[in-house]
Amino acid sequence: MSAAAGVTVEFAGEYFPVSAGGRFIVGREGDLELDDNLFLHRHFLEITDADGLWWLSNVGTRLTATVTDSAGGVQAWLAPGARLPLVFEKTTVVFSAGPTTYELTLHAAEPTFRATQREHDDGGASTIGDMPLTLSQRLLILALAEPQLRRDGTGMSEIPTSAKAAERLGWTVTRFNRKLDNVCDKFDRIGVPGMRGGQRSFATNRRARLVEHVIASRLVTRADLPLLDASHDDDGEGEQE
């Protein structure tokens, strides 16, 4: 049995329809060729329909993707070899390859799941990522996620290095890295994967996973960006972290 209607892939202002019975590949090569980023798999994500459902599969061997519904109320980590059904009207997919983070949206013509409307909709922030953050921790997250938040719609952006993010905040790199350790430890304690690298070679991966999580879970949004340019007499250096 094939899915009754198709799925549309949205990326950087372009729309790619996938008809029932079709197969759509996202990667360095395929139906959606993202760019020539050598950190990106040649074939990374695959969209197919089977058993009456549309499926998103990770056909890569190394990279992962964060998958959420449009409200940020459901979040899953799509590891290599895994697949998820596309049951929502809009599904957001965020992933990183090297220093670049990508975001695309999958639109289902006939979703099989519809969220119950809450009386007070907070965009899903109370469901995912509802954890106390000090001001300095929020500023650190914003400095890393700023390029992704400033772009319009879906697309790709470069994750700042620790040195660039520290410069944006007026901090030393040592201070930035110490606070980054604290933030990643906090997320690791609530079960967010990829927060512990352990070696300097994983520094980019850890920053990428942090940006993926906060973007997908709506922990920070574009509306928070003015905090970066506000004057902070006490940015939390003395806060308990």
Side-chain angles (χ1 to χ4, degrees), residues 5-9 16-20 22-24 47-48 54:
V7 165
T8 300
V9 181
F16 305 84
V18 188
S19 301
R23 175 174 175 265
F24 191 88
I47 300 167
T48 54
W54 283 96

Side-chain angles (χ1 to χ4, degrees), residues 17 26 35 42 49 107 153 164 173-174 222 235:
V26 178
D35 66 8
R42 199 165 54 86
D49 73 292
H107 303 265
K164 284 290 186 182
V173 174
T174 299
R222 194 168 186 168
D235 67 0

Side-chain angles (χ1 to χ4, degrees), residues 150-232:
R150 287 203 184 279
R151 68 176 179 22
D152 293 323
T154 62
M156 59 187 181
S157 61
E158 293 290 315
I159 299 172
T161 64
S162 291
K164 284 290 186 182
E167 181 183 4
R168 177 74 171 95
L169 296 169
W171 298 353
T172 65
V173 174
T174 299
R175 181 184 178 196
F176 180 90
N177 285 331
R178 172 170 55 81
K179 289 181 178 290
L180 178 61
D181 288 340
N182 292 331
V183 170
C184 289
D185 286 345
K186 182 173 282 191
F187 281 113
D188 180 70
R189 287 196 296 271
I190 65 170
V192 177
M195 293 293 106
R196 288 190 179 275
Q199 301 177 20
R200 282 296 177 187
S201 60
F202 294 107
T204 298
N205 293 353
R206 185 173 64 161
R207 292 198 309 276
R209 278 295 303 134
L210 180 60
V211 170
E212 282 180 37
H213 176 72
V214 300
I215 293 294
S217 63
R218 279 59 167 183
L219 185 62
V220 294
T221 67
R222 194 168 186 168
D224 296 311
L225 288 174
L227 278 173
L228 286 172
D229 297 312
S231 175
H232 304 292

